[in-house]
Amino acid sequence: MYGIIAFFRRYYFSLLFIVLEIISLGFVFTNNYYHEAGYFNSSNRVAGAVYSSYSGFTSYFNLQNVNHQLADENTQLLNLASQIKDTAIHKKILITNPFGQLYHFIPAEVIDNSTNLPNNYLTLHAGSEDGVGEGMGIISPLGIVGIVVKASAHYSVVMSLLHQKTLVSAMFKKSGTFGTLAWGDNKDYRFATLNQIPMSEKVKPGDTIVTSGFSNTFPKGIMVGTVDNFKAIPELYFYTIRIKLSTDFKNLRYVYVVCDIEKIEKEALEKDAQNSLNDKTK
């Protein structure tokens, strides 16, 4: 005990300097978007290797949660299999995937993750050599996770759904009515807000919200969450709806990178259509 006290007395000023430096850096990276970009360095080989080693140590203590996720995923696959009606549909799913021959998926391990900041990110142990690229969506067995913003050869950084700039097109599973999902200024990792839902929609707590498929990021029908509560904005004729997210961001371990294999073709077609429209208006 005396040795510990002597150590702190001897190195008091050095330890105090280190603590204050860490606190200062925390303020800088939390409140400055320019410096926040430095977080993307977690996609490089050195930082990625450190995160990977730490993740390997902590993964042992997370086995119970992983087992629960695997059980939920198996349940979803069984439910999907039960919906296969005939041989033609069955062959289509076997050839590619359950999403209409538009997507394939790359498994990845989460080696770093934050949930308590205004803008949160994840680091994945999967990069460009695995087929991961910027703009690709990330999903878990339970729902959507975020969007890739940077990828190196072996690692990638994901802008979490828990980020002020993340916007996702989402819809009511029962009706197809869609709006924009955002975490916004929310402080709770369990919830997000669905906006621009017209007041003609019959909303009730527990309604299922899924992705709309109106972008190249996420396939249609990926689980987002359920309605927790809502309030009307009469002057805008819209609801603001609080969504309880299906993804447990505190216990993410394994995710899937969503690759739209027809994205280039679709973007080229949309660009040609827009150019043609512009030519006609000149």
Side-chain angles (χ1 to χ4, degrees):
M1 185 67 183
Y2 176 78
I4 296 175
I5 295 174
F7 173 82
F8 279 106
R9 284 180 175 175
R10 183 175 181 181
Y11 297 103
Y12 170 77
F13 290 104
S14 297
L15 292 173
L16 179 62
F17 172 78
I18 292 173
V19 170
L20 293 176
E21 189 74 12
I22 292 173
I23 293 173
S24 299
L25 289 173
F27 282 118
V28 169
F29 284 96
T30 299
N31 299 300
N32 191 309
Y33 287 109
Y34 175 80
H35 291 91
E36 184 186 70
Y39 185 94
F40 294 157
N41 288 331
S42 64
S43 69
N44 67 38
R45 183 182 294 272
V46 176
V50 173
Y51 284 129
S52 184
S53 299
Y54 177 76
S55 176
F57 174 77
T58 58
S59 62
Y60 175 81
F61 300 98
N62 199 42
L63 287 177
Q64 184 176 3
N65 291 322
V66 172
N67 287 335
H68 283 309
Q69 286 190 355
L70 290 174
D72 289 333
E73 184 174 11
N74 288 335
T75 300
Q76 292 182 28
L77 291 173
L78 289 173
N79 289 334
L80 177 64
S82 68
Q83 296 172 7
I84 297 174
K85 302 299 182 182
D86 54 52
T87 304
I89 297 178
H90 184 67
K91 287 181 179 178
K92 185 176 182 181
I93 290 174
L94 286 179
I95 291 171
T96 55
N97 55 71
F99 302 102
Q101 294 181 309
L102 293 174
Y103 303 90
H104 69 275
F105 303 88
I106 302 170
E109 182 182 5
V110 178
I111 58 174
D112 188 41
N113 181 24
S114 65
T115 60
N116 60 341
L117 302 174
N119 298 300
N120 295 284
Y121 296 90
L122 305 91
T123 302
L124 308 183
H125 194 178
S128 57
E129 290 192 1
D130 304 294
V132 180
E134 294 181 14
M136 292 182 175
I138 306 297
I139 64 174
S140 76
L142 301 179
I144 61 174
V145 173
I147 301 169
V148 176
V149 291
K150 189 174 181 64
S152 63
H154 303 288
Y155 302 94
S156 52
V157 172
V158 176
M159 184 169 70
S160 172
L161 181 62
L162 311 181
H163 190 291
Q164 292 178 340
K165 293 185 178 180
T166 302
L167 300 175
V168 177
S169 179
M171 68 180 187
F172 280 79
K173 184 177 180 180
K174 65 181 181 180
S175 66
T177 302
F178 66 93
T180 301
L181 183 82
W183 196 49
D185 296 328
N186 210 325
K187 304 300 182 183
D188 194 326
Y189 71 92
R190 299 171 299 170
F191 299 95
T193 303
L194 182 63
N195 298 304
Q196 300 175 335
I197 298 297
M199 292 177 61
S200 58
E201 179 71 19
K202 296 181 179 179
V203 182
K204 65 177 184 295
D207 282 346
T208 299
I209 306 300
V210 298
T211 53
S212 68
F214 293 157
S215 71
N216 296 320
T217 306
F218 297 105
K220 179 180 179 180
I222 299 296
M223 186 67 177
V224 173
T226 55
V227 173
D228 181 63
N229 58 54
F230 58 94
K231 65 178 180 180
I233 307 178
E235 61 273 20
L236 298 178
Y237 301 100
F238 286 133
Y239 285 120
T240 293
I241 305 174
R242 178 172 153 127
I243 304 299
K244 183 175 182 180
L245 299 172
S246 57
T247 297
D248 183 358
F249 283 88
K250 281 284 190 180
N251 292 295
L252 282 176
R253 178 61 60 178
Y254 296 99
V255 296
Y256 299 97
V257 184
V258 181
C259 303
D260 185 347
I261 59 180
E262 296 181 356
K263 179 179 180 180
I264 296 177
E265 179 182 350
K266 288 192 294 185
E267 289 182 345
L269 179 62
E270 291 168 356
K271 184 177 180 180
D272 288 343
Q274 185 62 46
N275 290 336
S276 298
L277 181 61
N278 291 338
D279 291 339
K280 291 179 180 179
T281 56
K282 288 180 180 180

